[in-house]
Amino acid sequence: MSDESAYALLSADVTIHHQDRLALCFFSRYDSPMLRQVLAHPDDALKDPDCEVLKSDRTTTVGVISFDGRRFVFKRYNTKNTWHALRRALRRARAENCWNFAPRLTALGIATAPVVGWVQERIAGLKSRSWILCEHVAGPTCASVLSDDSEPAVCDEILEGITGILLQLRQNRLSHGDLKATNILLVHNRPVIVDLDAVQTHISAAACERAFKRDCSRWLKNWREQPEVKARAIKQLRKAGLVNGD
């Protein structure tokens, strides 16, 4: 078991259940007949007419579903072709990565969508598709809020919060790996990081620094067409001692 898996298991009671080709894992505090139904039949949940599909392509399918009086985001990681399936079979499932790192980020004070459970499909003993279920976070994306027309004080407040997250990640030798502005939700102008598929722990300081620079570069790339926002973002990074210039 990986260190991250052990961390997740120590964070709360976890229920693990096997059904046919699927392995279901979820935090016991969410346990209910409906939760078990969703995780045991994940494709049906995403095909349900009441599912609000947010994204569906060769890589992922994402939908908002409701049960037990609450809303959840359910994401399936698809296999694009046979070669892709074989490569994924040899690596940790992306859903498992989200499951492992969400509690860890929360413990560090980094807000993220609370994970509920995840599912691993195996075919002939090999890992295939996987699903992650998270609580729904109600809030706009950073991309839809920040622009050169934003109120300067609001813009700086949001950018300062995101800079703080980057600082926390770096101090703990972590990287997000996909800091698109659409992967940052805002709740009362406070950032909530989602899509933890590519989060990594780095053993060496050098590897962490390379990943951190990629995170910063991707973060600033969001604002290529918003020069005022980009300038303010760079100012916040420089103020925190994270960059020397643009």
Side-chain angles (χ1 to χ4, degrees):
M1 179 183 295
S2 66
D3 291 343
E4 291 87 356
S5 294
Y7 184 92
L9 291 173
L10 289 172
S11 298
D13 289 336
V14 171
T15 297
I16 299 174
H17 176 67
H18 294 271
Q19 179 169 320
D20 299 326
R21 299 186 304 183
L22 303 179
L24 289 54
C25 183
F26 56 89
F27 286 122
S28 303
R29 62 181 177 272
Y30 293 99
D31 196 5
S32 75
M34 279 303 302
L35 173 66
R36 291 179 180 246
Q37 174 73 11
V38 166
L39 296 182
H41 304 280
D43 287 333
D44 291 345
L46 288 170
K47 291 177 183 176
D48 191 286
D50 292 330
C51 174
E52 178 189 346
V53 178
L54 303 179
K55 176 184 177 182
S56 184
D57 57 29
R58 295 176 64 206
T59 305
T60 57
T61 301
V62 185
V64 177
I65 61 176
S66 299
F67 61 90
D68 293 340
R70 303 170 71 176
R71 302 184 80 205
F72 302 88
V73 175
F74 204 19
K75 184 174 185 178
R76 180 179 66 214
Y77 297 92
N78 303 320
T79 51
K80 294 183 286 187
N81 50 50
T82 302
W83 174 241
H84 181 249
L86 288 173
R87 285 195 299 116
R88 296 307 313 178
L90 301 175
R91 301 167 64 182
R92 175 192 291 170
R94 287 176 290 173
E96 184 182 9
N97 208 58
C98 296
W99 166 262
N100 288 335
F101 279 106
R104 184 172 179 184
L105 294 187
T106 299
L108 292 173
I110 298 173
T112 188
V115 289
V116 176
W118 75 287
V119 179
Q120 176 69 70
E121 179 183 51
R122 287 182 180 270
I123 299 176
L126 297 176
K127 294 178 185 176
S128 183
R129 299 176 301 169
S130 62
W131 295 256
I132 185 75
L133 181 69
C134 301
E135 290 187 23
H136 178 263
V137 175
T141 67
C142 187
S144 67
V145 172
L146 289 183
S147 73
D148 284 353
D149 297 324
S150 300
E151 287 289 334
V154 172
C155 185
D156 286 341
E157 178 187 4
I158 294 170
L159 293 174
E160 183 178 1
I162 295 165
T163 300
I165 289 174
L166 283 165
L167 181 61
Q168 277 278 75
L169 291 172
R170 186 191 197 190
Q171 289 175 339
N172 290 278
R173 288 194 176 178
L174 296 167
S175 62
H176 183 273
D178 191 17
L179 274 181
K180 296 193 294 280
T182 51
N183 284 340
I184 303 172
L185 304 179
L186 297 173
V187 179
H188 304 301
N189 289 339
R190 298 180 67 85
V192 178
I193 302 295
V194 297
D195 278 4
L196 308 182
D197 316 3
V199 174
Q200 293 185 63
T201 299
H202 302 282
I203 297 175
S204 72
C208 178
E209 196 62 24
R210 289 192 296 271
F212 171 74
K213 288 180 179 179
R214 289 193 295 270
D215 271 353
C216 283
S217 177
R218 184 63 187 90
W219 166 235
L220 294 176
K221 184 179 178 181
N222 292 304
W223 315 115
R224 286 178 300 182
E225 298 180 6
Q226 305 289 341
E228 288 296 325
V229 175
K230 183 176 181 180
R232 289 180 177 277
I234 292 171
K235 181 180 179 180
Q236 290 290 342
L237 292 171
R238 188 182 296 121
K239 181 180 177 181
L242 297 177
V243 298
N244 295 320
D246 59 4

